[in-house]
Each structure stands twice: as structure tokens, then as C-alpha cells.
């Protein structure tokens, strides 16, 4: 014991300040873990996080869309404290627990009735892997299809389905075989002009989906097609309703399960509890058309506001195809995470909550659009759904522009993240951000945009301004507004 204590004293220096703590952690963590910012964070409260020196940052990243209710929400703190005093680990192999029962009853209220069979894990990547196993067991087919630009995780199976950028697979191949990549209707990805005809773009994308299902595999070998309803790291690109409808029809036609990845888009982020609600057709009484629903939905991130829980929901007849032991995990359905998730659902289903989300989203979106128009900033498009907003720079901006703006904003007290291949910033504010906090975020972002784009070299002739400094006419938004609404 004395020897061990001596070793600890030699190897763990007293952390005198933020710089020492930062350097100590970086020296002892795998460089394969990437960073956007070099912050040494200490705590959070509401819409803000604080570093170890006490500097305050308005958090418009929310841990990549996790802390949707902000940091240390008092009701969530109380729910977690209460559960900790009862039990903080109960293994579901011994049977369900009361915290899980409460969570399942809450989830049943927010998912359409046919989707009522749940599998719980701890991370979004695990949930994607669970969906993959379910689809193979339910269909007896080995392959799957993914949308170009999608992000689904970094485990071997999930990384095999990820096409937002190559970095997740670089030097790690071969990954899982049998993955067909199909296009999304995104002008930058399809090398089309920002003002390209949206309906034709959707037609072209869907034609290519079916073509690829026969050229690179065969539909009878494809177990599922997985898609984010709004591309996340791939550019914060909302998929149009008609594109979703086309995917649903193709999957139904060929007996392929349609899996919607709501890891980042779910739990209020896009202005409805789940993004698929904005895409699925409705019956005359307002209920969802059952034939138009996805077969599987993956959820994680915002479900418990930072507590590690994730999962999938599907129909009973599909889940019944699985054998005992094919799903599960040591920490699956952790009771503390379940307690937090139940309280998240209780807060988000209160009357007026989602109306507030959409009000603040409109404020932020219009604030950024006005800043771009009035300052003549080189922005091609401001897009997104709800509080999931992307700001894509035009072709005149060099590579690294989005990261440079994010870094400048961080210096000024606003945390933002870029996306992957295309020069796009993503804005992921807390869903309960206040009006004044939203205005503060737009102001800091505007100053960062002006400072960075005013100093960066631009490609000659590439910048095509919109209709003028007093206009809010953005080519791609103008073309897509009705379809993406």
C-alpha cells in the first residue's frame, strides 16, 4: 500500500491551475480522441458552461445535442439525486426495475402506437448496432444501405455505416462489408448549384437509390436502410418529405426495414419530439399513417440530458425475431439514467414547451439571416429544423472557414461546432434558451463571422451575393423552404 501511495504521489501532480490540468489530461489521453476547442471545463449552469478559471461560455453545442435542457436543470438534478439514494445500478438480466417501468410508460406516450418495443443500451453507436442486429434477425438478410453524409457512430459496425467523413475509418479498414451508400438530395454533395431545382434533385436522388440497390447489392440481400432525417455531421441538411416518402415506398416494395436515426434530431431538437413526425403522412384525424412510419427508430443523446442511455424502438413482430442474448449490456437501462430520461420526457411534454423551442429557433434563424444579409457575409444558406441550424459558407470561402469562425466565437464566449466536409457551422442551443441568451449568441456569432470572413482570402469570382443587402433571399433556402419546412 505504501509503495502504491508513493507511486500515486509521484505520478499525479497537484493541479495548480487550468493550464496544468489541461496539459496533464492531454498527455494521458489517446490522441485518437479529437477536439474542436482546447477548453478545460469545470461546470455548467443553464445555457452556460464555465472553465476551470471561471470564464463563462454560452453553450450552443450542448455536448453535440445532448444537454437539450441546459446544464444542471434543477428538476433533473432532483430526479437523479432521488434515484441515487435508491439504487444506481440494477442489471436487467435479473429483471426490469421501477425506474425502467416509468421510462417505458413515458416513451410509449411519445411514440406512435405501433412502435412500442424497446431495446436499451448506453450510447448512440450501440443503439445503431442494436438496430443492425435487429434488422438482420428480422429479415434474414446480411446487407444494409446508408445515406451519403450520414453519421452513425465510431464502433466498427456503426463506423461502417458512417459516411460524413473518412477520418472515422482512416487506417482502420477493413470494416464491415455489405454496405451500400445512396445519395441524399443535397446540392453541395451532388455538385449542383445552390438554386438547383429541388423537385428534380429529389427525383434524381431517389432514382439513384433504387439503381444502387440493384447495382452494388440486391434488394433481397438488404436488411435495412438507415437515415438521419436531418443529416447531422454531414451538414445539418433537412431531408425533404418527398424524399422520405420515396425511401419508405422503396423499403416497403423490397421488404427492407426503414431505420430512422434520431440520435441527434430526437427529443425536441427539431421542434417536434422526433424529426420523423414532420415527414410521416397523417390520417384525416391527425394520427400518423401507420404504413408511412419507420420500422425502427434509434434514439440517444437528448433522452436523458447527459446521462448515458440510448436505445431503439420497433414493432413487436420484428423484435420477436430476436433470440435471448442477442441484445443487452452491463449498463443497459441504468436506473439513474432512466430517472433522468423520465423527467426529461415530463418536461418536454408540458404544454407550450415545443412552442417555445420553435419561437426561439425562429429568433436565432432570422437573427443569423439578417446578420448575413445586412453585412454581405459569404453565406450560401442558413437551414435546419427547430434548434438544429446549419450555416453553410459559399464557395468563395477556403477550407477551414467554419472552424475558424467556431474558434473566434469560442474566444468571445460562444461554443459552436463545425460539421465535416462542407464548410458549415452547426448551432445546437439549449431548447430552453432564453430570448436574451439567444440574442447574445447571435451577436457573438455575427461578430465572429465578420472578423473571420473579412480577413480570409476568398476565391475570385466564386461569391455570388443574394438579392441585395436588404434582402433575406437565399437561393437554396428560397428553393427549399416549402419542402424543408
Amino acid at each position: 500500500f505504501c509503495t502504491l501511495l508513493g507511486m500515486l504521489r509521484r505520478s499525479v501532480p497537484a493541479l495548480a491551475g487550468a493550464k496544468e490540468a489541461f496539459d496533464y489530461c492531454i498527455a494521458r489521453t489517446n490522441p485518437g480522441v479529437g477536439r474542436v476547442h482546447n477548453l478545460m471545463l469545470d461546470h455548467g449552469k443553464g445555457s452556460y458552461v464555465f472553465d476551470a478559471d471561471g470564464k463563462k461560455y454560452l453553450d450552443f453545442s450542448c455536448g453535440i445535442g445532448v444537454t437539450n435542457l441546459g446544464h444542471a436543470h434543477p428538476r433533473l438534478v432532483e430526479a437523479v439525486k432521488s434515484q441515487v439514494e435508491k439504487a444506481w445500478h440494477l442489471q436487467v438480466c435479473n429483471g426490469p426495475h421501477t425506474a425502467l417501468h416509468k421510462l417505458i410508460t413515458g416513451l410509449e406516450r411519445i411514440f406512435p402506437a405501433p412502435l412500442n418495443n424497446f431495446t436499451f443500451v448506453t450510447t448512440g453507436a450501440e443503439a445503431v448496432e442494436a438496430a443492425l442486429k435487429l434488422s438482420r434477425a428480422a429479415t434474414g438478410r446480411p446487407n444494409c444501405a446508408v445515406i451519403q453524409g450520414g453519421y452513425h457512430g465510431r464502433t466498427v459496425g456503426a463506423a461502417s455505416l458512417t459516411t460524413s467523413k473518412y477520418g472515422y475509418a482512416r487506417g482502420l479498414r477493413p470494416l464491415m462489408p455489405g454496405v451500400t451508400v445512396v445519395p441524399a438530395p443535397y446540392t453541395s454533395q451532388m455538385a449542383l448549384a445552390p438554386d438547383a431545382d429541388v423537385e428534380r434533385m429529389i427525383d434524381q436522388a431517389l432514382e439513384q437509390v433504387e439503381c444502387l440497390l440493384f447495382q452494388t447489392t440486391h434488394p433481397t440481400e438488404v436488411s435495412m436502410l438507415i437515415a438521419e432525417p436531418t443529416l447531422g455531421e454531414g451538414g445539418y441538411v433537412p431531408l425533404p418529405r418527398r424524399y422520405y416518402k420515396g425511401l419508405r415506398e422503396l423499403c416497403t416494395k423490397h421488404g427492407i426495414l426503414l431505420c430512422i436515426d434520431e440520435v441527434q434530431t430526437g427529443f425536441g431538437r427539431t421542434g417536434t419530439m422526433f424529426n420523423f413526425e414532420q415527414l410521416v403522412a397523417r390520417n384525416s384525424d391527425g394520427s400518423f399513417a401507420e404504413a408511412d412510419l419507420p420500422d425502427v427508430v434509434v434514439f440517444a443523446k437528448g433522452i436523458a440530458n447527459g446521462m448515458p442511455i440510448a436505445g431503439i424502438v420497433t414493432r413487436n413482430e420484428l423484435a420477436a425475431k430476436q433470440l435471448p442474448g442477442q441484445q443487452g449490456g452491463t449498463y443497459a437501462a441504468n436506473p439513474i439514467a432512466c430517472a433522468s430520461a423520465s423527467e426529461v420526457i415530463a418536461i418536454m411534454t408540458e404544454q407550450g414547451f415545443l412552442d417555445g423551442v420553435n419561437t426561439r429557433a425562429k429568433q436565432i434563424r432570422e437573427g443569423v439571416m439578417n446578420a448575413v444579409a445586412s453585412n454581405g457575409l459569404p453565406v450560401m444558406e442558413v437551414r435546419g429544423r427547430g434548434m438544429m441550424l446549419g450555416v453553410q459558407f459559399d464557395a468563395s470561402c477556403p477550407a477551414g472557414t467554419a472552424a475558424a469562425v467556431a474558434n473566434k466565437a469560442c474566444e468571445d464566449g460562444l461554443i459552436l461546432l463545425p460539421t465535416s466536409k462542407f464548410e458549415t457551422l452547426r448551432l445546437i442551443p439549449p431548447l430552453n434558451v432564453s430570448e436574451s441568451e439567444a440574442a447574445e449568441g447571435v451577436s457573438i456569432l455575427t461578430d465572429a463571422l465578420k472578423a473571420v470572413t473579412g480577413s480570409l482570402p476568398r476565391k475570385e469570382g466564386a461569391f455570388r451575393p443574394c438579392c441585395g443587402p436588404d434582402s433575406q433571399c437565399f437561393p437554396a433556402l428560397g428553393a427549399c423552404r416549402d419542402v424543408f419546412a
Side-chain angles (χ1 to χ4, degrees):
F1 175 78
C2 292
T3 303
L4 176 61
L5 184 59
M7 291 172 61
L8 288 172
R9 284 174 175 165
R10 289 193 300 273
S11 63
V12 185
L15 301 179
K19 178 65 167 62
E20 291 85 353
F22 178 86
D23 291 344
Y24 178 83
C25 290
I26 295 305
R28 288 160 176 80
T29 53
N30 192 318
V33 178
R35 293 188 312 281
V36 176
H37 303 298
N38 292 319
L39 300 175
M40 187 70 193
L41 296 175
D42 180 71
H43 67 281
K45 186 67 176 175
S47 299
Y48 295 90
V49 292
F50 299 80
D51 69 16
D53 288 329
K55 181 177 178 179
K56 181 171 74 171
Y57 299 84
L58 182 58
D59 188 2
F60 271 28
S61 72
C62 282
I64 320 182
V66 172
T67 54
N68 286 356
L69 296 176
H71 299 276
H73 191 290
R75 285 175 57 177
L76 300 182
V77 170
E78 191 57 39
V80 167
K81 280 183 177 179
S82 177
Q83 182 58 49
V84 165
E85 292 174 353
K86 294 175 65 177
W88 56 37
H89 177 70
L90 296 170
Q91 226 303 315
V92 292
C93 73
N94 295 319
H97 47 76
T98 53
L100 177 58
H101 174 263
K102 183 177 180 181
L103 174 57
I104 291 174
T105 59
L107 288 169
E108 278 197 308
R109 290 197 300 272
I110 60 176
F111 278 107
L115 298 173
N116 57 8
N117 189 288
F118 298 91
T119 301
F120 295 98
V121 289
T122 52
T123 69
E126 282 183 271
V128 169
E129 298 264 5
L132 182 61
K133 288 192 285 186
L134 170 78
S135 69
R136 286 179 169 178
T139 65
R141 302 174 181 183
N143 296 347
C144 60
V146 301
I147 304 297
Q148 184 181 356
Y151 175 86
H152 302 290
R154 304 183 206 217
T155 56
V156 171
S160 304
L161 309 180
T162 293
T163 57
S164 55
K165 67 180 179 184
Y166 187 64
Y168 302 121
R170 184 178 179 183
L172 303 176
R173 294 186 184 277
L175 297 177
M176 184 181 72
V179 178
T180 292
V181 182
V182 300
Y186 175 22
T187 55
S188 296
Q189 207 159 252
M190 297 177 75
L192 298 173
D195 55 354
D197 181 271
V198 177
E199 295 302 321
R200 178 61 194 134
M201 182 169 60
I202 294 170
D203 288 338
Q204 187 175 344
L206 289 172
E207 288 165 8
Q208 282 299 304
V209 172
E210 187 154 33
C211 183
L212 287 164
L213 287 177
F214 280 93
Q215 282 187 318
T216 62
T217 181
H218 192 275
T220 58
E221 296 181 345
V222 178
S223 63
M224 77 171 182
L225 187 154
I226 186 169
E228 297 172 291
T230 296
L231 291 180
E233 196 186 14
Y236 271 38
V237 182
L239 299 184
R241 286 191 193 96
R242 196 162 70 78
Y243 180 75
Y244 171 86
K245 181 177 175 59
L247 293 182
R248 176 67 276 180
E249 290 174 351
L250 279 171
C251 287
T252 301
K253 175 181 175 183
H254 297 297
I256 299 168
L257 300 188
L258 178 59
C259 177
I260 295 300
D261 183 338
E262 293 265 9
V263 168
Q264 191 167 171
T265 55
F267 291 92
R269 175 53 56 188
T270 58
T272 47
M273 190 59 76
F274 297 99
N275 196 166
F276 74 78
E277 298 174 33
Q278 301 172 42
L279 304 176
V280 173
R282 304 248 181 181
N283 298 316
S284 58
D285 63 359
S287 62
F288 292 108
E290 187 171 332
D292 213 31
L293 287 169
D295 299 297
V296 186
V297 176
V298 182
F299 56 85
K301 289 190 183 287
I303 179 176
N305 217 65
M307 288 292 167
I309 187 169
I312 63 173
V313 63
T314 187
R315 302 193 306 274
N316 278 321
E317 63 268 25
L318 295 177
K321 302 284 189 178
Q322 296 229 253
L323 301 175
Q326 289 183 339
Q327 302 281 21
T330 300
Y331 300 107
N334 172 269
I336 299 174
C338 287
S340 182
S342 292
E343 194 62 22
V344 166
I345 293 170
I347 293 169
M348 289 188 177
T349 53
E350 289 178 351
Q351 187 172 2
F353 178 85
L354 291 174
D355 291 337
V357 172
N358 288 303
T359 297
R360 291 285 78 77
K362 183 173 185 289
Q363 176 193 350
I364 294 170
R365 183 174 62 250
E366 291 183 350
V368 175
M369 291 174 69
N370 287 336
V372 169
S374 61
N375 293 285
L377 299 173
V379 169
M380 183 188 91
E381 185 173 64
V382 181
R383 59 173 176 255
R385 292 185 174 115
M387 290 274 204
M388 189 172 176
L389 299 172
V391 180
Q392 181 168 345
F393 296 92
D394 70 25
S396 73
C397 294
T401 298
V405 173
N407 288 333
K408 173 59 178 167
C410 187
E411 290 175 12
D412 297 339
L414 174 68
I415 299 179
L416 301 170
L417 300 173
T419 59
S420 58
K421 181 179 184 295
F422 303 101
E423 292 301 316
T424 304
L425 283 170
R426 42 181 158 171
L427 279 61
I428 328 171
L431 303 185
N432 54 356
V433 65
S434 70
E435 182 177 359
S436 61
E437 291 165 346
E440 178 188 357
V442 171
S443 176
I444 297 174
L445 173 58
T446 300
D447 290 344
L449 287 167
K450 289 160 64 176
V452 171
T453 60
S455 62
L456 287 175
R458 302 254 276 275
K459 301 173 187 174
E460 288 296 323
F463 176 43
R464 295 179 297 168
C466 295
C467 303
D470 298 324
S471 172
Q472 293 183 11
C473 172
F474 293 79
L477 261 184
C480 306
R481 184 178 292 114
D482 293 338
V483 193
F484 286 175

